[in-house]
Coordinates of all heavy atoms in Angstrom, one line a residue:
M1 N -92.7 223.0 111.3 CA -93.4 221.8 110.8 C -93.2 221.7 109.3 O -93.4 222.7 108.6 CB -94.9 221.8 111.2 CG -95.6 220.6 110.8 SD -97.3 220.6 111.2 CE -97.3 220.4 113.0
L2 N -92.9 220.6 108.8 CA -92.6 220.4 107.4 C -93.7 219.6 106.8 O -94.1 218.5 107.3 CB -91.3 219.6 107.2 CG -90.9 219.3 105.8 CD1 -90.6 220.6 105.0 CD2 -89.6 218.4 105.8
F3 N -94.3 220.1 105.7 CA -95.3 219.4 105.0 C -94.7 219.0 103.6 O -94.3 219.9 102.9 CB -96.6 220.3 104.8 CG -97.3 220.5 106.0 CD1 -97.2 221.7 106.6 CD2 -98.1 219.5 106.6 CE1 -97.9 222.0 107.8 CE2 -98.8 219.7 107.7 CZ -98.7 221.0 108.4
L4 N -94.7 217.8 103.3 CA -94.3 217.3 102.0 C -95.6 217.1 101.1 O -96.4 216.4 101.5 CB -93.5 216.0 102.1 CG -92.2 216.2 102.9 CD1 -91.5 214.8 103.0 CD2 -91.3 217.2 102.2
V5 N -95.6 217.7 100.0 CA -96.7 217.6 99.1 C -96.3 217.0 97.8 O -95.4 217.4 97.1 CB -97.4 219.0 98.8 CG1 -98.5 218.8 97.8 CG2 -97.8 219.7 100.1
G6 N -96.9 215.8 97.5 CA -96.6 215.1 96.3 C -97.8 215.0 95.5 O -98.7 215.9 95.5
T7 N -97.9 214.0 94.7 CA -99.0 213.8 93.8 C -100.2 213.2 94.5 O -101.4 213.3 94.1 CB -98.6 212.9 92.6 OG1 -98.2 211.6 93.1 CG2 -97.6 213.6 91.8
F8 N -100.0 212.5 95.6 CA -101.1 211.8 96.3 C -102.2 212.7 96.8 O -103.4 212.4 96.5 CB -100.6 210.9 97.5 CG -101.7 210.2 98.2 CD1 -102.2 209.1 97.6 CD2 -102.1 210.5 99.4 CE1 -103.3 208.3 98.2 CE2 -103.1 209.9 100.0 CZ -103.7 208.8 99.4
P9 N -101.9 213.8 97.5 CA -103.0 214.7 97.9 C -103.8 215.3 96.7 O -105.0 215.4 96.8 CB -102.3 215.8 98.7 CG -101.0 215.2 99.1 CD -100.7 214.3 98.0
V10 N -103.1 215.6 95.7 CA -103.8 216.2 94.5 C -104.7 215.1 93.9 O -105.8 215.4 93.5 CB -102.7 216.7 93.5 CG1 -103.4 217.2 92.3 CG2 -101.9 217.8 94.1
L11 N -104.2 213.9 93.7 CA -105.0 212.8 93.2 C -106.2 212.6 94.1 O -107.3 212.3 93.6 CB -104.1 211.6 93.1 CG -104.8 210.3 92.5 CD1 -105.2 210.6 91.0 CD2 -103.9 209.2 92.5
S12 N -106.0 212.6 95.4 CA -107.2 212.4 96.3 C -108.2 213.5 96.1 O -109.4 213.2 96.1 CB -106.7 212.4 97.7 OG -105.8 211.4 97.9
L13 N -107.8 214.7 95.9 CA -108.7 215.8 95.7 C -109.5 215.6 94.4 O -110.7 215.9 94.3 CB -108.0 217.2 95.7 CG -107.6 217.7 97.0 CD1 -106.7 219.0 96.9 CD2 -108.8 218.0 97.9
L14 N -108.8 215.2 93.3 CA -109.4 215.0 92.0 C -110.4 213.9 92.1 O -111.5 214.0 91.5 CB -108.3 214.8 90.9 CG -107.5 216.0 90.6 CD1 -106.4 215.6 89.6 CD2 -108.3 217.1 90.0
V15 N -110.1 212.8 92.7 CA -111.0 211.7 92.8 C -112.2 212.1 93.7 O -113.3 211.8 93.3 CB -110.3 210.4 93.4 CG1 -111.3 209.4 93.8 CG2 -109.3 209.9 92.5
G16 N -112.0 212.8 94.7 CA -113.1 213.3 95.6 C -114.0 214.2 94.8 O -115.2 214.1 95.0
Q17 N -113.5 215.1 93.9 CA -114.3 216.0 93.1 C -115.1 215.2 92.1 O -116.3 215.4 91.9 CB -113.5 217.0 92.4 CG -112.9 218.1 93.3 CD -112.0 219.0 92.5 OE1 -111.6 218.8 91.4 NE2 -111.5 220.0 93.2
A18 N -114.5 214.1 91.5 CA -115.3 213.3 90.6 C -116.4 212.5 91.3 O -117.5 212.4 90.8 CB -114.3 212.3 89.9
V19 N -116.1 212.0 92.4 CA -117.1 211.2 93.2 C -118.2 212.2 93.6 O -119.4 211.8 93.4 CB -116.5 210.6 94.5 CG1 -117.5 210.1 95.4 CG2 -115.5 209.4 94.0
L20 N -117.9 213.4 94.0 CA -118.9 214.3 94.4 C -119.8 214.7 93.2 O -121.0 214.8 93.4 CB -118.3 215.6 95.1 CG -119.2 216.6 95.7 CD1 -120.0 216.0 96.9 CD2 -118.4 217.8 96.1
R21 N -119.2 215.0 92.1 CA -120.0 215.4 90.9 C -120.9 214.2 90.5 O -122.1 214.5 90.2 CB -119.0 215.8 89.8 CG -119.8 216.4 88.6 CD -118.8 216.8 87.5 NE -118.5 215.6 86.8 CZ -117.3 215.2 86.4 NH1 -116.3 216.1 86.6 NH2 -117.0 214.1 85.7
I22 N -120.4 213.0 90.4 CA -121.2 211.9 90.0 C -122.4 211.6 91.0 O -123.5 211.4 90.5 CB -120.4 210.6 89.8 CG1 -119.3 210.9 88.7 CG2 -121.2 209.4 89.4 CD1 -119.8 211.0 87.3
T23 N -122.1 211.7 92.2 CA -123.1 211.4 93.2 C -124.2 212.5 93.2 O -125.4 212.2 93.4 CB -122.5 211.2 94.6 OG1 -121.7 212.3 95.0 CG2 -121.8 209.9 94.7
E24 N -123.8 213.7 93.0 CA -124.8 214.9 92.9 C -125.6 214.6 91.6 O -126.8 214.9 91.7 CB -124.0 216.2 92.8 CG -123.5 216.6 94.1 CD -122.8 218.0 94.1 OE1 -122.5 218.4 92.9 OE2 -122.5 218.5 95.1
E25 N -125.0 214.2 90.5 CA -125.8 214.0 89.3 C -126.8 212.8 89.5 O -127.9 212.7 88.9 CB -124.9 213.6 88.1 CG -124.1 214.8 87.6 CD -123.1 214.5 86.5 OE1 -123.1 213.3 86.1 OE2 -122.4 215.4 86.0
A26 N -126.4 211.9 90.4 CA -127.3 210.7 90.7 C -128.4 211.1 91.7 O -129.3 210.3 92.0 CB -126.5 209.6 91.2
G27 N -128.4 212.4 92.2 CA -129.5 212.9 93.0 C -129.2 212.6 94.5 O -130.1 212.7 95.4
C28 N -127.9 212.3 94.9 CA -127.6 212.1 96.2 C -127.3 213.4 97.0 O -126.9 214.4 96.3 CB -126.3 211.2 96.3 SG -126.5 209.6 95.6
Q29 N -127.6 213.4 98.3 CA -127.3 214.6 99.1 C -125.8 214.6 99.4 O -125.2 213.6 99.7 CB -128.1 214.5 100.4 CG -129.6 214.7 100.2 CD -130.2 214.6 101.5 OE1 -129.7 214.1 102.5 NE2 -131.5 215.1 101.6
T30 N -125.2 215.8 99.4 CA -123.9 216.0 99.8 C -123.9 216.3 101.3 O -124.9 216.7 101.8 CB -123.2 217.1 99.0 OG1 -123.9 218.3 99.2 CG2 -123.1 216.8 97.5
P31 N -122.8 216.2 102.0 CA -122.8 216.5 103.4 C -123.2 217.9 103.7 O -123.8 218.2 104.8 CB -121.3 216.3 103.8 CG -120.8 215.4 102.8 CD -121.5 215.6 101.5
T32 N -123.1 218.9 102.8 CA -123.5 220.2 103.1 C -125.0 220.4 102.8 O -125.6 221.4 103.1 CB -122.8 221.2 102.1 OG1 -123.0 220.9 100.8 CG2 -121.3 221.2 102.4
Q33 N -125.7 219.3 102.3 CA -127.1 219.3 102.0 C -127.9 218.6 103.0 O -129.1 218.3 102.8 CB -127.4 218.8 100.6 CG -126.8 219.6 99.5 CD -127.0 218.9 98.2 OE1 -127.1 217.7 98.1 NE2 -127.0 219.7 97.1
G34 N -127.3 218.3 104.1 CA -128.1 217.8 105.2 C -127.9 216.3 105.7 O -128.8 215.8 106.3
I35 N -126.9 215.6 105.2 CA -126.6 214.3 105.7 C -126.0 214.4 107.1 O -125.1 215.1 107.3 CB -125.7 213.5 104.8 CG1 -126.4 213.2 103.5 CG2 -125.3 212.2 105.4 CD1 -125.5 212.5 102.5
T36 N -126.6 213.7 108.1 CA -126.1 213.8 109.4 C -125.4 212.5 109.8 O -125.4 211.5 109.0 CB -127.3 214.0 110.4 OG1 -128.1 212.9 110.3 CG2 -128.0 215.3 110.1
E37 N -124.8 212.5 111.0 CA -124.1 211.3 111.5 C -125.0 210.1 111.6 O -124.7 209.0 111.3 CB -123.4 211.5 112.8 CG -122.1 212.2 112.7 CD -121.4 212.3 114.0 OE1 -121.6 211.4 114.9 OE2 -120.6 213.2 114.2
T38 N -126.3 210.3 112.0 CA -127.2 209.3 112.1 C -127.6 208.7 110.8 O -127.8 207.5 110.7 CB -128.5 209.8 112.8 OG1 -129.0 210.9 112.1 CG2 -128.2 210.2 114.3
D39 N -127.6 209.5 109.7 CA -127.8 209.0 108.4 C -126.7 208.1 107.9 O -126.9 207.1 107.3 CB -128.0 210.1 107.4 CG -129.3 210.9 107.5 OD1 -130.2 210.3 108.1 OD2 -129.3 212.0 107.2
I40 N -125.5 208.4 108.3 CA -124.3 207.7 107.8 C -124.3 206.3 108.5 O -124.0 205.3 107.8 CB -123.0 208.4 108.1 CG1 -123.0 209.7 107.2 CG2 -121.8 207.6 107.9 CD1 -121.8 210.7 107.6
F41 N -124.6 206.2 109.8 CA -124.5 205.0 110.5 C -125.8 204.2 110.5 O -125.9 203.2 111.1 CB -124.0 205.2 111.9 CG -122.6 205.8 112.0 CD1 -122.4 207.1 112.4 CD2 -121.6 205.0 111.6 CE1 -121.1 207.5 112.5 CE2 -120.3 205.5 111.6 CZ -120.0 206.8 112.1
S42 N -126.8 204.7 109.9 CA -128.1 204.0 109.8 C -128.1 203.1 108.6 O -127.3 203.1 107.8 CB -129.3 205.0 109.8 OG -129.3 205.6 108.5
S43 N -129.2 202.3 108.5 CA -129.4 201.5 107.3 C -130.3 202.1 106.3 O -131.0 201.4 105.6 CB -129.9 200.1 107.8 OG -131.2 200.3 108.4
N44 N -130.3 203.4 106.2 CA -131.0 204.2 105.3 C -130.6 203.7 103.8 O -129.5 203.9 103.4 CB -130.8 205.7 105.5 CG -131.7 206.5 104.6 OD1 -132.5 206.0 103.7 ND2 -131.7 207.8 104.9
K45 N -131.6 203.2 103.1 CA -131.3 202.7 101.8 C -130.7 203.7 100.8 O -129.8 203.4 100.0 CB -132.6 202.1 101.2 CG -132.4 201.4 99.9 CD -133.6 200.7 99.4 CE -133.4 200.0 98.1 NZ -134.6 199.4 97.5
E46 N -131.2 205.0 100.9 CA -130.7 206.0 100.0 C -129.3 206.4 100.3 O -128.5 206.5 99.4 CB -131.6 207.2 100.1 CG -131.2 208.4 99.2 CD -132.0 209.6 99.4 OE1 -133.2 209.5 99.7 OE2 -131.5 210.7 99.3
V47 N -128.9 206.4 101.6 CA -127.5 206.8 101.9 C -126.6 205.6 101.5 O -125.6 205.9 101.0 CB -127.5 207.0 103.4 CG1 -126.0 207.2 103.9 CG2 -128.2 208.3 103.8
L48 N -127.0 204.4 101.7 CA -126.2 203.3 101.3 C -126.0 203.2 99.8 O -124.9 202.8 99.3 CB -126.8 202.0 101.9 CG -126.8 201.8 103.4 CD1 -127.5 200.5 103.8 CD2 -125.4 201.8 103.9
E49 N -127.1 203.5 99.1 CA -127.0 203.5 97.7 C -126.0 204.6 97.2 O -125.2 204.4 96.3 CB -128.4 203.8 97.1 CG -128.5 203.6 95.6 CD -129.9 203.7 95.1 OE1 -130.8 202.9 95.5 OE2 -130.2 204.7 94.3
C50 N -126.0 205.8 97.8 CA -125.2 206.8 97.4 C -123.7 206.5 97.8 O -122.8 206.8 97.0 CB -125.5 208.1 98.1 SG -127.1 208.8 97.5
E51 N -123.5 205.8 98.9 CA -122.1 205.4 99.2 C -121.6 204.3 98.2 O -120.5 204.4 97.9 CB -122.1 204.8 100.6 CG -122.3 205.8 101.7 CD -122.3 205.2 103.1 OE1 -122.3 204.0 103.2 OE2 -122.3 206.0 104.1
T52 N -122.5 203.5 97.8 CA -122.1 202.5 96.8 C -121.8 203.2 95.5 O -120.8 202.8 94.8 CB -123.3 201.5 96.6 OG1 -123.6 200.9 97.8 CG2 -122.9 200.4 95.6
I53 N -122.5 204.2 95.1 CA -122.2 204.9 93.8 C -120.8 205.6 94.0 O -120.0 205.5 93.1 CB -123.3 206.0 93.5 CG1 -124.6 205.2 93.1 CG2 -122.8 206.9 92.4 CD1 -125.8 206.2 93.0
G54 N -120.6 206.2 95.1 CA -119.3 206.9 95.3 C -118.1 205.9 95.3 O -117.1 206.2 94.7
A55 N -118.3 204.8 95.9 CA -117.2 203.8 96.0 C -117.0 203.2 94.6 O -115.8 203.0 94.2 CB -117.6 202.6 96.9
S56 N -118.0 203.0 93.8 CA -117.9 202.4 92.5 C -117.2 203.4 91.5 O -116.4 203.0 90.7 CB -119.2 202.0 91.9 OG -120.1 203.1 91.7
V57 N -117.4 204.7 91.7 CA -116.7 205.7 90.9 C -115.3 205.7 91.2 O -114.4 205.7 90.3 CB -117.4 207.1 91.2 CG1 -116.5 208.2 90.6 CG2 -118.7 207.2 90.6
A58 N -114.9 205.7 92.5 CA -113.5 205.7 93.0 C -112.8 204.4 92.4 O -111.7 204.5 91.9 CB -113.4 205.8 94.4
V59 N -113.4 203.3 92.5 CA -112.8 202.0 92.0 C -112.6 202.0 90.5 O -111.6 201.6 90.0 CB -113.7 200.8 92.5 CG1 -113.2 199.5 91.8 CG2 -113.6 200.6 94.0
T60 N -113.6 202.6 89.8 CA -113.5 202.7 88.3 C -112.4 203.6 87.9 O -111.6 203.3 87.0 CB -114.8 203.2 87.8 OG1 -115.9 202.3 88.2 CG2 -114.8 203.3 86.3
L61 N -112.2 204.7 88.7 CA -111.1 205.7 88.3 C -109.8 205.0 88.6 O -108.8 205.1 87.8 CB -111.3 206.9 89.2 CG -112.3 207.9 88.7 CD1 -112.4 209.1 89.7 CD2 -111.8 208.5 87.3
A62 N -109.7 204.2 89.7 CA -108.4 203.6 90.0 C -108.1 202.5 89.0 O -106.9 202.4 88.6 CB -108.5 202.9 91.4
F63 N -109.1 201.8 88.6 CA -108.9 200.7 87.5 C -108.5 201.3 86.2 O -107.5 200.8 85.6 CB -110.2 199.9 87.4 CG -110.1 198.8 86.5 CD1 -109.3 197.6 86.8 CD2 -110.7 198.8 85.2 CE1 -109.2 196.6 86.0 CE2 -110.5 197.7 84.3 CZ -109.8 196.6 84.7
M64 N -109.1 202.4 85.8 CA -108.8 203.1 84.5 C -107.3 203.7 84.6 O -106.6 203.6 83.6 CB -109.8 204.2 84.2 CG -111.1 203.6 83.8 SD -112.4 204.9 83.6 CE -111.7 205.9 82.4
A65 N -107.0 204.2 85.8 CA -105.6 204.8 85.9 C -104.6 203.6 85.9 O -103.5 203.8 85.3 CB -105.5 205.5 87.2
G66 N -104.9 202.5 86.4 CA -104.0 201.4 86.4 C -103.8 200.9 85.0 O -102.7 200.5 84.5
I67 N -104.9 200.8 84.2 CA -104.8 200.4 82.8 C -103.9 201.3 82.0 O -103.1 200.9 81.2 CB -106.2 200.2 82.2 CG1 -106.9 199.0 82.8 CG2 -106.1 200.1 80.6 CD1 -108.3 198.8 82.3
I68 N -104.1 202.6 82.2 CA -103.3 203.6 81.5 C -101.9 203.5 81.8 O -101.0 203.6 81.0 CB -103.9 205.1 81.8 CG1 -105.2 205.2 81.1 CG2 -102.9 206.1 81.3 CD1 -105.9 206.5 81.6
M69 N -101.6 203.3 83.1 CA -100.1 203.1 83.5 C -99.5 201.8 82.9 O -98.4 201.9 82.5 CB -100.0 203.1 85.0 CG -100.3 204.4 85.7 SD -100.2 204.4 87.5 CE -98.4 204.3 87.6
I70 N -100.3 200.8 82.9 CA -99.8 199.5 82.3 C -99.5 199.8 80.8 O -98.5 199.4 80.2 CB -100.8 198.4 82.5 CG1 -100.8 197.9 83.9 CG2 -100.5 197.2 81.6 CD1 -101.8 196.9 84.3
L71 N -100.4 200.4 80.1 CA -100.2 200.7 78.6 C -99.0 201.6 78.4 O -98.3 201.4 77.5 CB -101.5 201.4 78.1 CG -102.7 200.4 77.8 CD1 -103.9 201.2 77.4 CD2 -102.3 199.3 76.8
A72 N -98.9 202.6 79.3 CA -97.7 203.5 79.2 C -96.4 202.8 79.4 O -95.4 203.0 78.7 CB -97.8 204.7 80.2
G73 N -96.4 201.8 80.3 CA -95.3 201.0 80.5 C -95.0 200.1 79.4 O -93.8 199.9 79.0
L74 N -96.0 199.5 78.8 CA -95.8 198.6 77.7 C -95.3 199.3 76.5 O -94.5 198.8 75.7 CB -97.1 197.8 77.4 CG -97.5 196.7 78.4 CD1 -98.9 196.2 78.1 CD2 -96.5 195.6 78.5
L75 N -95.8 200.5 76.3 CA -95.4 201.3 75.1 C -94.1 202.1 75.4 O -93.6 202.9 74.5 CB -96.5 202.3 74.7 CG -97.8 201.6 74.3 CD1 -98.9 202.6 74.0 CD2 -97.5 200.8 73.0
Q76 N -93.5 201.9 76.6 CA -92.3 202.6 77.0 C -92.4 204.1 76.8 O -91.5 204.7 76.1 CB -91.1 202.0 76.3 CG -90.9 200.5 76.6 CD -89.7 199.9 75.8 OE1 -89.1 200.6 75.0 NE2 -89.4 198.7 76.2
L77 N -93.4 204.7 77.4 CA -93.6 206.2 77.3 C -92.9 207.0 78.4 O -93.2 208.1 78.6 CB -95.1 206.5 77.3 CG -95.8 205.9 76.1 CD1 -97.3 206.2 76.2 CD2 -95.3 206.5 74.8
G78 N -92.0 206.3 79.1 CA -91.3 207.0 80.2 C -90.4 208.2 79.7 O -90.1 209.1 80.5
F79 N -90.0 208.1 78.5 CA -89.1 209.2 77.9 C -89.8 210.5 77.9 O -89.2 211.6 77.8 CB -88.7 208.8 76.5 CG -89.8 208.9 75.5 CD1 -90.0 210.1 74.8 CD2 -90.6 207.8 75.2 CE1 -91.0 210.2 73.8 CE2 -91.6 207.9 74.3 CZ -91.8 209.1 73.6
V80 N -91.1 210.6 78.0 CA -91.9 211.8 78.0 C -91.5 212.7 79.2 O -91.5 213.9 79.1 CB -93.4 211.6 78.0 CG1 -94.2 212.9 78.1 CG2 -93.8 210.8 76.7
T81 N -91.2 212.0 80.3 CA -90.8 212.8 81.5 C -89.5 213.6 81.3 O -89.2 214.5 82.1 CB -90.6 211.9 82.7 OG1 -89.6 210.9 82.5 CG2 -91.9 211.2 83.0
L82 N -88.7 213.2 80.4 CA -87.4 214.0 80.1 C -87.8 215.4 79.6 O -86.9 216.3 79.8 CB -86.6 213.3 79.1 CG -86.1 211.9 79.5 CD1 -85.3 211.2 78.3 CD2 -85.2 212.0 80.7
F83 N -89.0 215.6 79.0 CA -89.3 216.9 78.5 C -90.0 217.8 79.5 O -90.3 218.9 79.2 CB -90.2 216.7 77.3 CG -89.6 215.9 76.2 CD1 -90.0 214.7 75.8 CD2 -88.6 216.5 75.4 CE1 -89.5 214.0 74.8 CE2 -88.0 215.8 74.4 CZ -88.4 214.5 74.1
L84 N -90.2 217.3 80.7 CA -90.8 218.1 81.8 C -89.7 218.8 82.5 O -88.8 218.3 83.1 CB -91.6 217.2 82.8 CG -92.7 216.4 82.2 CD1 -93.3 215.5 83.2 CD2 -93.7 217.3 81.5
S85 N -89.7 220.1 82.5 CA -88.7 220.9 83.1 C -88.8 221.0 84.6 O -89.9 220.8 85.1 CB -88.7 222.4 82.5 OG -89.9 223.0 82.8
D86 N -87.8 221.4 85.3 CA -87.8 221.6 86.7 C -88.8 222.6 87.1 O -89.5 222.5 88.2 CB -86.4 221.8 87.3 CG -85.5 220.6 87.2 OD1 -86.1 219.5 87.2 OD2 -84.3 220.7 87.2
P87 N -88.8 223.8 86.5 CA -89.9 224.8 86.9 C -91.3 224.3 86.7 O -92.1 224.7 87.6 CB -89.6 226.0 85.9 CG -88.2 225.9 85.5 CD -87.9 224.4 85.5
L88 N -91.5 223.5 85.8 CA -92.9 222.9 85.6 C -93.3 222.0 86.8 O -94.3 222.1 87.4 CB -93.0 222.1 84.3 CG -94.3 221.4 84.1 CD1 -95.4 222.4 83.7 CD2 -94.2 220.4 83.0
I89 N -92.3 221.1 87.2 CA -92.6 220.2 88.3 C -92.7 221.1 89.6 O -93.6 220.8 90.4 CB -91.4 219.2 88.5 CG1 -91.3 218.4 87.2 CG2 -91.7 218.3 89.7 CD1 -92.5 217.6 86.9
S90 N -91.9 222.1 89.8 CA -92.0 222.9 90.9 C -93.3 223.7 91.0 O -93.9 223.8 92.1 CB -90.8 223.9 90.9 OG -90.9 224.8 91.9
G91 N -93.7 224.2 89.9 CA -95.0 224.9 89.8 C -96.2 224.0 90.1 O -97.1 224.4 90.8
Y92 N -96.1 222.8 89.6 CA -97.2 221.8 89.9 C -97.2 221.5 91.4 O -98.3 221.5 92.0 CB -96.9 220.5 89.1 CG -97.9 219.4 89.5 CD1 -99.2 219.4 89.0 CD2 -97.5 218.4 90.4 CE1 -100.1 218.4 89.4 CE2 -98.3 217.4 90.7 CZ -99.6 217.4 90.2 OH -100.5 216.4 90.6
T93 N -96.1 221.3 92.0 CA -96.0 221.0 93.4 C -96.5 222.2 94.3 O -97.2 222.0 95.2 CB -94.6 220.6 93.8 OG1 -94.2 219.5 93.0 CG2 -94.5 220.2 95.3
C94 N -96.1 223.4 93.9 CA -96.5 224.6 94.6 C -98.0 224.8 94.5 O -98.7 225.1 95.5 CB -95.8 225.8 94.1 SG -96.1 227.3 95.0
A95 N -98.6 224.6 93.3 CA -100.0 224.8 93.1 C -100.8 223.7 93.9 O -101.8 224.0 94.4 CB -100.3 224.7 91.6
A96 N -100.2 222.5 93.9 CA -100.9 221.4 94.7 C -100.9 221.8 96.2 O -101.9 221.6 96.9 CB -100.1 220.1 94.5
A97 N -99.8 222.4 96.7 CA -99.8 222.8 98.1 C -100.8 223.9 98.4 O -101.5 223.8 99.4 CB -98.4 223.4 98.4
F98 N -101.0 224.9 97.5 CA -102.0 225.9 97.7 C -103.4 225.3 97.6 O -104.3 225.7 98.3 CB -101.8 227.0 96.7 CG -100.7 228.0 97.0 CD1 -99.6 228.1 96.2 CD2 -100.7 228.7 98.2 CE1 -98.6 229.0 96.5 CE2 -99.7 229.5 98.6 CZ -98.7 229.7 97.7
T99 N -103.6 224.3 96.7 CA -104.9 223.7 96.6 C -105.3 223.0 97.9 O -106.4 223.0 98.3 CB -104.9 222.7 95.4 OG1 -104.6 223.4 94.2 CG2 -106.3 222.1 95.2
I100 N -104.3 222.3 98.5 CA -104.6 221.5 99.7 C -104.8 222.4 100.9 O -105.6 222.2 101.7 CB -103.4 220.5 99.9 CG1 -103.4 219.5 98.8 CG2 -103.5 219.9 101.3 CD1 -102.2 218.6 98.8
L101 N -104.1 223.6 100.9 CA -104.3 224.5 102.0 C -105.6 225.1 101.9 O -106.3 225.4 102.8 CB -103.2 225.5 102.1 CG -101.8 225.0 102.4 CD1 -100.8 226.1 102.3 CD2 -101.8 224.4 103.8

């Protein structure tokens, strides 16, 4: 079985960690702290509020990343990738694979 690991799984992990940290700071329960399936599918105001906070954090991160990419494109900063060596890219991909496993 072949697993291809790129930047998407690593980005997903980083966004998930940011959402988890912000929701914990807001006082929301994490799944390991006792949220059950019935809480997720119920109209519990606290659970819905926590889901809203998590979604807004993810949307904000996506919006900020988009703005950074647009600015990098307008400033023509693509030449920076020429300075990234093959061992660096290989190490990043390998570390991403270990993080996901």
Side-chain angles (χ1 to χ4, degrees):
M1 182 180 288
L2 176 65
F3 291 104
L4 297 176
V5 178
T7 58
F8 181 74
V10 178
L11 182 63
S12 297
L13 286 172
L14 291 173
V15 170
Q17 288 175 353
V19 167
L20 187 63
R21 190 181 75 224
I22 300 288
T23 53
E24 284 178 349
E25 288 176 1
C28 298
Q29 293 179 340
T30 60
T32 58
Q33 294 174 333
I35 292 179
T36 62
E37 277 186 29
T38 56
D39 290 334
I40 293 171
F41 295 113
S42 71
S43 61
N44 187 351
K45 185 177 180 179
E46 181 181 326
V47 172
L48 293 175
E49 188 175 296
C50 290
E51 288 177 357
T52 304
I53 291 171
S56 65
V57 168
V59 168
T60 303
L61 281 173
F63 184 72
M64 290 173 57
I67 288 177
I68 290 171
M69 290 182 73
I70 289 171
L71 286 175
L74 290 175
L75 297 173
Q76 298 181 353
L77 296 177
F79 71 92
V80 175
T81 59
L82 297 174
F83 299 111
L84 300 177
S85 64
D86 288 336
L88 177 73
I89 301 297
S90 173
Y92 173 79
T93 305
C94 187
F98 282 118
T99 302
I100 292 168
L101 292 177

